[in-house]
Amino acid sequence: MRSAEELMATPDPAWPTLEAELLSNPQVTILSVPAGAGRDCLYRLQVSARSRLGALALHTGGLLVDDGWLRVLGGGDEAGLPSLAQANDLPGDGRPPASLVVGHDVLGGRFEVNGADPAALGRPGDAGEVCYFGPDTLTWEPLGAGHGAWLSWIAEGGTAQFYASLRWTDWQAETRALPLSHGLTVYPFLWSREAHENLAATTRGPAPMAELFSLQDEFAARFAEEPDATALHIRVD
């Protein structure tokens, strides 16, 4: 186990370059993090500040993208965004997790970095690749990029096209009104035919993120056991 000071002591820290990239996109807000919380998160991750993952943990409370539609995890924000260590229940014993949650959106979609053996979890993609769990498909899809490249994609504005089919008129106002601990429930559910055919007609309301994750995992497990269930397992294009 390396100390936080050892992890911070790098001649080539990732933060200056990453910060410049993120600041180039006005739709990205960098949240502040208490210094102690950043160091603690870095220690529990056991990654160097030379990595972009370590830079986010040490220097930010996380990122808010597109009015908070996407929340990228960092060292934790006092307003309710968990740290990378908290979201992944990292005890700080140096053991790498099977996968690492690195962000989520207000609909309950999750971004995770694959661990050493994605197939053991039933995940697609390669080790170190970012995968997305879609609330409209209830399945994981590989994104073809690692964590550092994923952050560059965000800074370049990639989320606009990625989420185009999952947004409705005035989604910004609904998103801004949410506390960082909450997302939006959508009914009929996003994976249903009704939502696919008329997303704007759905009913939406705030709900704790943990509740959204739990509900989606429950439905995903149910449909995996019942492949003939009437869920609409397609991405809305």
Side-chain angles (χ1 to χ4, degrees):
M1 292 287 290
R2 289 179 291 173
S3 68
E5 288 68 27
E6 290 174 304
L7 295 168
M8 293 165 60
T10 172
D12 187 23
W15 180 240
T17 299
L18 176 58
E19 181 184 28
E21 275 190 40
L22 296 172
L23 290 175
S24 71
N25 185 345
Q27 294 301 317
V28 175
T29 299
I30 302 173
L31 301 175
S32 61
V33 61
R39 287 194 297 269
D40 177 69
C41 186
L42 190 70
Y43 173 76
R44 290 166 65 181
L45 284 169
Q46 281 295 294
V47 297
S48 167
R50 187 174 184 273
S51 70
R52 290 188 160 201
L53 184 68
L56 279 183
L58 182 62
H59 295 286
T60 81
L63 310 175
L64 301 184
V65 185
D66 299 341
D67 297 292
W69 176 281
L70 170 62
R71 294 92 176 257
V72 178
L73 304 183
D77 175 72
E78 294 177 334
L81 193 65
S83 71
L84 284 157
Q86 292 167 333
N88 291 281
D89 296 320
L90 299 180
D93 58 7
R95 290 181 294 178
S99 66
L100 189 77
V101 181
V102 292
H104 63 260
D105 56 52
V106 295
L107 301 178
R110 281 164 278 173
F111 294 89
E112 294 192 10
V113 177
N114 280 339
D117 189 3
L121 294 179
R123 298 281 178 84
D126 299 323
E129 186 173 0
V130 177
C131 290
Y132 178 68
F133 181 84
D136 56 333
T137 64
L138 302 181
T139 59
W140 290 93
E141 60 178 296
L143 300 185
H147 181 258
W150 176 65
L151 292 175
S152 293
W153 170 80
I154 290 172
E156 292 165 2
T159 54
Q161 181 177 353
F162 186 80
Y163 284 117
S165 62
L166 290 174
R167 289 174 171 172
W168 53 90
T169 303
D170 294 333
W171 62 268
Q172 296 99 327
E174 292 183 43
T175 300
R176 291 190 204 104
L178 293 170
L180 295 184
S181 57
H182 283 55
L184 289 171
T185 58
V186 179
Y187 189 82
F189 298 114
L190 285 167
W191 42 259
S192 70
R193 187 168 302 278
E194 293 88 347
H196 167 57
E197 293 175 347
N198 192 350
L199 179 62
T202 58
T203 300
R204 298 169 297 276
M209 291 307 308
E211 183 179 305
L212 288 180
F213 298 154
S214 178
L215 183 63
Q216 289 171 359
D217 288 343
E218 178 184 339
F219 277 117
R222 182 184 305 176
F223 295 142
E225 295 174 357
E226 304 174 16
D228 294 330
T230 56
L232 184 68
H233 288 289
I234 63 172
R235 194 157 212 8
V236 181
D237 294 321

